[in-house]
Amino acid sequence: MSSSLHSPLYSSLSSSSALQDRKLRNAVNFAKPNLIFKPRRSFPLIRASAGFSSSLDTGLSTELDAVANHSEIVPDTVIFDDFEKFPPTAGTASSSLLLGICGLPDTKFKSAVDRALSDSECYGLESSDLQMSCFFNKALAHVGGDLAKLVPGRVSTEVDARLAYDTHGIVRKVHDLLKAYTEIEVPPERLLFKIPATWQGIEASRVLEAEGIQTHLTFVYSFCQAAAAAQAGASVIQIFVGRLRDWSRNHTGDSEVESALRRGEDPGLALVTKTYNYIHKYGHKTKLMAAAVRNKPDVFNLLGGGYIITPLKVLQSLKESVTLLDEKYSFTRRLSPQSAAAFNFTQDELQKWDQYSFSSAMGPASVELLTIGLDGYINQAKRVEELFGKIWPPPNV
């Protein structure tokens, strides 16, 4: 891969340890097919009517029906067989998905990778680095195109994390990916582009959204990231609730995390609440996504938000918990425009964020967790390139 793909931070990132790799197995994307392999989870979107709502003539409902009245509940799963219980409406094309496809040649998406690796446009490029970048783009687009045929909602496509600190590089990469999608007739309104929430990634989101290209900012662990992303007009902001909680149990020194703890609040839930209130109080178009949800109380505390990415064991528990129909309405919406209007922000929190104020506000939790996330994405992308190098050209080319 060309050296232009490497961010200034990349040279300072150590290779991922086995422990980091295990941590990253719980990272979240928009959807994934029937893969045994687990890094980068998927989450098809579900609603209360999706084949599992209870019979109303019994006067009973389920907790899943009840919570789905307030938020869009999104199952965190890696296995397509689970979709019979929790049907998907969205998906993600990612390096982890490509790894899974290459590892399971009988998957339904294998032909998409083969089509990408036999694309004549890539063969004509001058260098092997340019060819590999082209093949990678085509593979993501072809797999994303196949996903778009399976789901009615949007498909999010991962942008190379090695570009995380290169605004122009991110914009060029998204343009290349969008061109690849256009060639296979996937309309832009069906697409999101998943970008790490560095300052440069947020600036790239601002440029792309101004062009009408929808962006999905991920690895958000601090309010400055969330507020700057909303100001940039990002379509989706993804906050990892459980990862912030885990960090707070083993670390100190982050003022934002410690402020939440002093108030008796969970740091991850507090960040989601503050971000929701900021978005809705000040009229930003961004939709909030809460990920790394660990249990039913997390779900209940996030009701009213946009998407809640929920593990299958939690979904199954919600589905199996029967309530009286009248009790269905006792689930309180914790996040609402009314609560947002009453929330008070400091002047510092309401500032127009720039690179200096953003960098100054990034605490140890957001810096460390962002770095771990980028490290995982980068290593997965490199593994895809290694696999492509071994299997290219594909059979019958």
Side-chain angles (χ1 to χ4, degrees), residues 251-262:
H251 302 81
T252 58
D254 187 291
S255 60
E256 191 171 336
V257 168
E258 291 179 355
S259 177
L261 293 174
R262 284 194 299 272

Side-chain angles (χ1 to χ4, degrees), residues 326-383:
D326 289 344
E327 293 176 357
K328 175 178 178 179
Y329 302 100
S330 68
F331 286 84
T332 304
R333 178 175 179 173
R334 306 300 175 91
L335 306 175
S336 68
Q338 293 75 25
S339 66
F343 193 90
N344 294 317
F345 291 89
T346 68
Q347 286 304 307
D348 282 345
E349 290 168 340
L350 295 177
Q351 68 182 292
K352 176 68 175 176
W353 293 93
D354 57 26
Q355 186 169 6
Y356 176 78
S357 59
F358 180 89
S359 300
S360 300
M362 286 281 283
S366 53
V367 170
E368 181 178 331
L369 291 169
L370 173 61
T371 299
I372 291 172
L374 290 175
D375 190 23
Y377 271 25
I378 288 166
N379 278 284
Q380 287 193 331
K382 291 169 71 176
R383 289 171 60 197

